[in-house]
Amino acid sequence: MLFNGVVSKILGFIHTERVSYKLHWRESLCFYKYIAIGDEPFNHVYGDQFFPFVVGAAENIQTALTKAKLAGRVKLVVPCSFDAFQSESGLPSKGHFRADVNRTMSELLKFLTKHQSPFFVNISPFLSYHSNKNISLDFALFKETARPHKDSRRTYKNSFDLSYDTLVSALSSAGSDKMDIVIGQIGWPTDGAASATSSNAQVFMKKFLEHVRSRSGTPLRPKEPPIETYILSLLDEDNRSIATGNFERYWGVFTFDGQAKYQLDLGQGSRKLVNAQNVQYLSSKWCVVNNNQNLSNATTRALEACSSADCSALSPGASCFNLSWPGNISYALNSYYQQHDQRADSCDFGGLGLITTVDPSVGTCRFIVQLRTSSSASFFISHWRITAATILLWLVGGGF
């Protein structure tokens, strides 16, 4: 494995407490290359709540690594969200870190330089497209038809290079112009928004990987591509926060049950992604609306189901958005039913629910059946996830 992380919520504890992970860490950490401190602690949605703890937490864990004689093998990094640096003019050459993160960022850059750790950044052309009216879909997808952006004599043909060089300028302004950069996360979601489709994801990933393999670099760092790149992500995550959008649960190259959404050439022998085999599901049963019941409170029941279940595929532009009523109600009820492992009482909804063995999926809208959670199935899925994750990250991170 290449990557492990410390959740942002416990940064305060690690900052204030002397870390004495003596060496029950040692054997497991031998397989890791990086430890990430927090999950985008500089993301604007968190405000400054994590700023006081980031560097202190890193120093404490660094001390533990040194005592374990792992400091030269395992590097500490802090994943930086793409909104932590900016350029009001839209010109990469004017890039700088947000004013509110400057002090903490200065301390962090000194720490990274001292320990020869790279700068980890999560770049998202998809989010840039959604948040910036000057970024077209073609520009985000590396399409040759995209209108280029000019910055003095430099020409930018895609959103990735634009964001990357904005960071390069920000690092230079902070006195770290030579620091190595790792792309900690990059990808394209396949559901949850109008432009989040498998076809767009395939185009983006194909063009991006070609760009990385070419080693052409960017206008500000020609022939110096990021030293490593990590794809977001291996699998869809139905419990991932949707604070920034319903698409957040669909970054996976594979579906939640290990089926490839599209084909992608990772450039390492086999040219095809391989689906997980012998995946064990619960029974082929779904929970749908009982049309023989009074449906006057159906919408209320659906909202109750969606308050705890995953209904992100019903959002505007998503794969199930076009379901007519009461099909969309059935989708909500089934999502709740599957989340609760098909317990009979989880398809009650005051008599509104009906268990059926007829698959209600329509077109691209898939009514899922949950995975079986027996020990054998859990072992199989976990083993597949770990093996595939290791291979996928290695292929993209170190295979070029």
Side-chain angles (χ1 to χ4, degrees):
M1 295 290 284
L2 299 178
F3 199 39
N4 200 355
V6 174
V7 180
S8 298
K9 291 181 180 179
I10 65 170
L11 286 179
F13 169 78
I14 298 177
H15 168 265
T16 56
E17 298 293 328
R18 183 76 57 183
V19 179
S20 59
Y21 300 122
K22 290 188 179 173
L23 284 270
H24 53 273
W25 270 34
R26 184 179 178 86
E27 289 185 8
S28 60
L29 283 180
C30 287
F31 298 99
Y32 289 94
K33 187 172 184 178
Y34 300 111
I35 294 178
I37 307 299
D39 181 12
E40 297 188 339
F42 301 121
N43 194 307
H44 76 280
V45 300
Y46 302 132
D48 62 357
Q49 62 177 304
F50 299 124
F51 292 5
F53 312 123
V54 172
V55 177
E59 288 175 341
N60 277 351
I61 296 178
Q62 184 67 44
T63 298
L65 287 173
T66 299
K67 289 181 179 179
K69 296 182 170 48
L70 290 170
R73 180 183 300 172
V74 182
K75 297 294 184 181
L76 293 182
V77 296
V78 177
C80 183
S81 54
F82 81 106
D83 66 343
F85 51 93
Q86 55 192 200
S87 170
E88 287 79 6
S89 65
L91 301 176
S93 60
K94 304 298 182 183
H96 60 88
F97 289 108
R98 283 199 332 255
D100 60 316
V101 307
N102 268 335
R103 180 176 177 180
T104 304
M105 187 62 69
S106 177
E107 296 174 356
L108 173 61
L109 292 174
K110 289 177 182 176
F111 173 87
L112 296 176
T113 299
K114 177 181 178 181
H115 298 288
Q116 299 181 317
S117 293
F119 190 93
F120 257 61
V121 62
N122 299 338
I123 289 181
S124 179
F126 175 83
L127 289 176
S128 295
Y129 163 64
H130 268 262
S131 62
N132 188 340
K133 64 181 181 180
N134 294 318
I135 302 295
S136 70
L137 181 60
D138 283 358
F139 192 67
L141 292 175
F142 289 85
K143 289 191 174 181
E144 295 178 0
T145 54
R147 180 183 63 83
H149 291 222
K150 291 282 190 177
D151 183 356
S152 186
R153 295 182 179 179
R154 303 182 187 93
T155 299
Y156 289 87
K157 298 181 179 180
N158 61 77
S159 177
F160 171 78
D161 286 356
L162 197 78
S163 295
Y164 191 88
D165 275 2
T166 302
L167 170 62
V168 170
S169 293
L171 288 171
S172 181
S173 298
S176 299
D177 55 309
K178 301 298 183 183
M179 181 165 287
D180 287 334
I181 297 174
V182 170
I183 305 301
Q185 291 182 358
I186 190 165
W188 196 279
T190 58
D191 207 346
S195 55
T197 65
S198 293
S199 58
N200 281 344
Q202 184 174 31
V203 169
F204 174 79
M205 292 308 305
K206 178 178 182 293
K207 295 288 188 180
F208 173 70
L209 292 178
E210 287 174 353
H211 185 50
V212 173
R213 287 194 192 105
S214 73
R215 304 195 64 81
S216 58
T218 63
L220 284 181
R221 284 196 176 182
K223 302 197 182 301
E224 291 184 40
I227 62 172
E228 292 175 324
T229 298
Y230 293 85
I231 291 176
L232 175 69
S233 66
L234 181 68
L235 298 165
D236 286 344
E237 303 171 74
D238 62 353
N239 285 320
R240 187 180 174 93
S241 169
I242 54 175
T244 56
N246 289 322
F247 52 80
E248 287 288 356
R249 292 177 174 171
Y250 301 99
W251 293 99
V253 176
F254 293 84
T255 57
F256 78 100
D257 52 352
Q259 308 306 298
K261 298 178 183 178
Y262 50 87
Q263 282 305 316
L264 189 62
D265 177 10
L266 293 172
Q268 294 288 326
S270 175
R271 303 301 186 191
K272 294 186 67 176
L273 300 181
V274 179
N275 293 336
Q277 303 297 311
N278 303 316
V279 179
Q280 297 182 36
Y281 300 89
L282 296 180
S283 300
S284 295
K285 296 189 298 185
W286 296 264
C287 180
V288 297
V289 169
N290 186 344
N291 290 312
N292 294 321
Q293 296 294 318
N294 182 345
L295 305 184
S296 60
N297 66 342
T299 299
T300 300
R301 292 295 188 179
L303 290 174
E304 291 173 357
C306 290
S307 67
S308 61
D310 179 22
C311 296
S312 52
L314 292 171
S315 55
S319 60
C320 298
F321 177 63
N322 290 325
L323 280 180
S324 58
W325 191 91
N328 49 3
I329 306 297
S330 290
Y331 184 91
L333 302 190
N334 184 66
S335 182
Y336 184 89
Y337 175 63
Q338 302 297 338
Q339 185 184 66
H340 290 79
D341 297 325
Q342 298 185 352
R343 288 201 328 258
D345 62 346
S346 65
C347 186
D348 184 24
F349 299 102
L352 183 66
L354 173 70
I355 297 173
T356 179
T357 57
V358 178
D359 188 350
S361 298
V362 179
T364 60
C365 179
R366 178 186 178 190
F367 281 58
I368 69 163
V369 172
Q370 188 58 272
L371 299 177
R372 186 174 297 280
T373 55
S374 66
S375 58
S376 59
S378 297
F379 171 80
F380 173 80
I381 292 297
S382 297
H383 175 73
W384 183 86
R385 285 180 176 177
I386 292 171
T387 304
T390 304
I391 294 173
L392 185 61
L393 295 180
W394 178 81
L395 288 175
V396 180
F400 296 140

